[in-house]
Amino acid sequence: MMKLTDKVAIVTGASKGIGKAIAHAFGLAGAKVVVSSRKQDAVDEVAQEFADAGIEARAIACNVGDPEARKALIDQTAEAFGSIDILVNNAGTNPYFGPVMGMEDWAYDKIMEINLRAPYELARLAYPHMKAAGGSIINISSVEGQTPSPGLGIYSVSKSALIMMTKVLAQEWGKKKIRVNTIAPGFVKTKLSQAIFDNPQMLEYVMAKQALDHQAEPEDIAGVALMLASDDSQFVTGATFTADGGLTI
């Protein structure tokens, strides 16, 4: 299972949920993991938890909406480990739920900055540290980027654009041995989707549409990410892997 031995991986939004599960899976597979999220104390706690489990982990706080913080995350990782092999753009946000006509400019700007511009800039910053030996970039989108739900309009737009950005970078960087892929999770038990799981009627509706009958946990997405980070997917780039339990069939 040590598919990522000596690989250096950055995972954003890794203090909890899907990001933490992905970082943990990478560490168990032998990677040196940079755990990143907005608050230093939160990533320190996760890095210590990983270290106690025998995983080599480093905590670097980064608000991905801050250009200087993005640059610092990449620079500090490269300085500490000498290279970057894997980048998982997992951090995301959705500060507004409702019709697009009710959305204020600040909410639109924040969604686009965090969900689209940050992955774009982090990928560009990581590129010089990957191009010699190649690497894997994994963007965490959503089924909302494929089929929008009411109230999530601009969030869906940002996640759809992230899927297209994945294809563009995969096309341009393939000859540099840099693979770029997307995972589009369905409804996973995380803070971002907690309102759905706390609402019995909404949960019943989702589970009725979903082909599989279990509620998704972050670890269900981590396995897909591990495959995309490893040589098991060395001929895969520009692809979107829908992990939604059959919700969108």
Side-chain angles (χ1 to χ4, degrees):
M1 291 297 293
M2 301 298 281
K3 297 179 178 182
L4 303 181
T5 300
D6 294 330
K7 299 291 187 181
V8 177
I10 299 173
V11 183
T12 67
S15 63
K16 57 185 179 297
I18 291 172
K20 181 180 178 181
I22 290 173
H24 186 250
F26 286 3
L28 292 179
K32 302 170 184 176
V33 182
V34 173
V35 179
S36 184
S37 191
R38 288 186 301 121
K39 297 181 179 180
Q40 187 64 51
D41 58 346
V43 289
D44 283 342
E45 182 177 341
V46 173
Q48 185 59 56
E49 178 185 332
F50 286 3
D52 292 344
I55 295 170
E56 184 172 352
R58 183 176 293 255
I60 302 178
C62 174
N63 175 0
V64 297
D66 180 349
E68 292 301 317
R70 293 192 293 251
K71 185 176 185 303
L73 172 61
I74 299 299
D75 288 348
Q76 289 177 35
T77 300
E79 182 179 352
F81 297 109
S83 66
I84 298 170
D85 301 292
I86 303 159
L87 169 65
V88 180
N89 286 308
N90 170 69
T93 191
N94 183 40
Y96 172 77
F97 181 86
V100 294
M101 290 302 292
M103 173 171 276
E104 297 182 27
D105 289 347
W106 70 266
Y108 177 94
D109 291 342
K110 183 172 183 179
I111 289 171
M112 289 301 182
E113 184 70 28
I114 301 296
N115 295 357
L116 185 61
R117 187 178 183 89
Y120 166 72
E121 293 290 356
L122 284 168
R124 280 163 45 99
L125 289 166
Y127 174 87
H129 304 287
M130 286 185 168
K131 64 179 184 178
S136 175
I137 297 173
I138 303 166
N139 295 318
I140 307 300
S141 180
S142 169
V143 291
E144 295 299 328
Q146 300 169 315
T147 304
S149 297
L152 294 173
I154 300 305
Y155 174 81
S156 295
V157 169
S158 71
K159 291 300 188 177
S160 179
L162 185 60
I163 291 171
M164 181 54 68
M165 187 187 77
T166 294
K167 295 180 179 182
V168 169
L169 297 185
Q171 185 180 63
E172 292 193 8
W173 295 355
K175 295 298 191 293
K176 298 293 185 180
K177 300 180 182 178
I178 297 174
R179 298 182 297 106
V180 191
N181 292 289
T182 303
I183 302 174
F187 292 102
V188 182
K189 295 178 75 173
T190 66
K191 182 179 179 181
L192 194 63
S193 60
Q194 191 61 47
I196 292 170
F197 289 93
D198 287 344
N199 184 322
Q201 290 181 320
M202 182 65 74
L203 181 59
E204 182 180 1
Y205 171 78
V206 169
M207 295 307 296
K209 288 190 66 178
Q210 194 173 282
L212 299 180
D213 64 359
H214 79 274
Q215 297 177 19
E217 299 285 349
E219 290 73 19
D220 292 316
I221 309 303
V224 183
L226 179 58
M227 182 270 290
L228 291 173
S230 74
D231 287 342
D232 286 349
S233 59
Q234 61 182 339
F235 199 58
V236 177
T237 196
T240 298
F241 288 78
T242 302
D244 69 349
L247 180 71
T248 55
I249 293 174

